[in-house]
Amino acid sequence: MTSTDSRADHIARFPFPFPRDQYRYSTNVEPAGNPTATVAGSWGDTRIAIDAHYHRELAERERILAEDPSRHQCLPHMVPAAWDAMLTLMRMLADEYPRTMTLERHEGSWFWKNDLLGIEHNFVFGDPDTLPAPPLVYICGQIQEDVVLLDQREGELWGDAGLVTFAADWSFGFDVGMSFLEIHGPVPRVHSEKIITRAHNFLMRLEPGQSYRRTNWTLTVHGKLDTSTETYPEWGKDRRTLADGPLDEVGDRLFLRTEVQHLIRLAHSGAVMFLIRTYLLPFRDIASVPEWGERLYRVLEDLPVDMAEYKGISRTREPGMRWLLNHGNVEL
């Protein structure tokens, strides 16, 4: 496959998050596992997405974890949920990618095979001595998604376990142990408009085995996956240099970042699993799809100031709009 073919496939499978010219916070939840058509192609036919960036993104996750092991957290009472999540993800991989992933039940143990990484491993469920790493570390070394596990108790959901290496301007290490409502406390409008309460109630009602999805988005400079608050000194200046730099460079330096979040109730532990998969597409590729370029411009133009500030795009929105005005098929 040539780089041109790879780029075209990446555009075709990109989850463009805007169905209309205006964006406001909403629960925007739909059943998972069904493809969503776009003007450039489609996305969403699987709950776990493996693409051409598989090995590169897993190497990036390994590097980040080696430098900062706190990106993986599992409070003691969540260990059973972590094992539940690992086995659930293995089942999903084997079901969605049967040619490269295999999960077999043997007497008293399990056999796992991942041909993409050359892994063949026998393990006993719940026995840490039979895995080379904690269950979330082991399985997240084989998927491109971040994982957060929510415990349900006392009438609330609590973010008590997970592995997050590709956070967008937040810190899982800071949030671990907080309630779902506390984690989303800083998000503007979602409390006054009761959005976060509806989302919380929806998650509380999820039945075992049910899976849904939603999208979220922001803008990221240089296509960096890890823009967590821990690494802000490394990437924070990028917003200023983009705003102060040549307009011609914006199309290649500024990326639309879409998160596809899957919400799954684990059958054995009862925990709610969040899968967060990050996709990045530069503005130049966005503009290659005329409808996308114009729609992104309209969304950025209409976005309220408080939402732009929370998303961290106050500096990058205006140069992004100016570039799209010149290159994005925008009609004023």
Side-chain angles (χ1 to χ4, degrees), residues 7-8 10-11 251-252 254-255 280-290 292-293 323:
R7 175 173 172 262
H10 192 49
I11 295 171
D252 298 309
L254 189 59
F255 287 67
L280 292 155
L281 199 65
F283 270 42
R284 189 172 302 281
D285 286 349
I286 294 288
S288 72
V289 183
W292 285 2
W323 189 90

Side-chain angles (χ1 to χ4, degrees), residues 134-149:
L136 286 181
V137 176
Y138 183 70
I139 194 60
C140 288
Q142 303 178 56
I143 60 174
Q144 291 160 269
E145 286 79 2
D146 285 327
V147 175
V148 175
L149 301 180

Side-chain angles (χ1 to χ4, degrees), residues 28 30 32 43 184 212-217 258-263 273-277:
N28 73 320
E30 63 182 10
W43 62 274
H184 293 88
Y212 289 82
R213 71 180 178 217
R214 66 181 300 272
T215 59
N216 195 14
W217 69 277
T258 302
E259 290 180 356
V260 177
Q261 304 172 354
H262 279 83
L263 326 169
M273 178 169 64
F274 264 69
L275 300 179
I276 309 169
R277 175 62 196 279

Side-chain angles (χ1 to χ4, degrees), residues 52-119:
H53 302 289
Y54 183 68
H55 291 89
R56 178 181 65 81
E57 292 187 6
L58 294 185
E60 177 70 353
R61 168 163 290 151
E62 184 178 14
R63 180 192 68 79
I64 293 167
L65 274 177
E67 293 182 359
D68 184 4
S70 73
R71 304 299 185 91
H72 166 244
Q73 300 276 346
C74 186
L75 300 186
H77 68 279
M78 293 297 285
V79 171
W83 281 93
D84 193 3
M86 183 189 77
L87 195 63
T88 299
L89 289 166
M90 286 177 172
R91 286 187 172 120
M92 289 165 57
L93 284 164
D95 179 57
E96 296 176 346
Y97 301 96
R99 294 205 286 184
T100 55
M101 308 286 178
T102 303
L103 180 67
E104 297 175 351
R105 180 73 182 269
H106 295 167
E107 186 175 347
S109 67
W110 293 86
F111 172 72
W112 169 246
K113 184 179 180 183
N114 178 340
D115 288 335
L116 296 179
L117 298 176
I119 291 173

Side-chain angles (χ1 to χ4, degrees), residues 190-204:
V190 295
H191 294 277
S192 61
E193 298 174 13
K194 307 295 184 184
I195 295 169
I196 200 65
T197 304
R198 293 198 301 272
H200 183 264
N201 293 340
F202 174 83
L203 291 170
M204 294 274 286

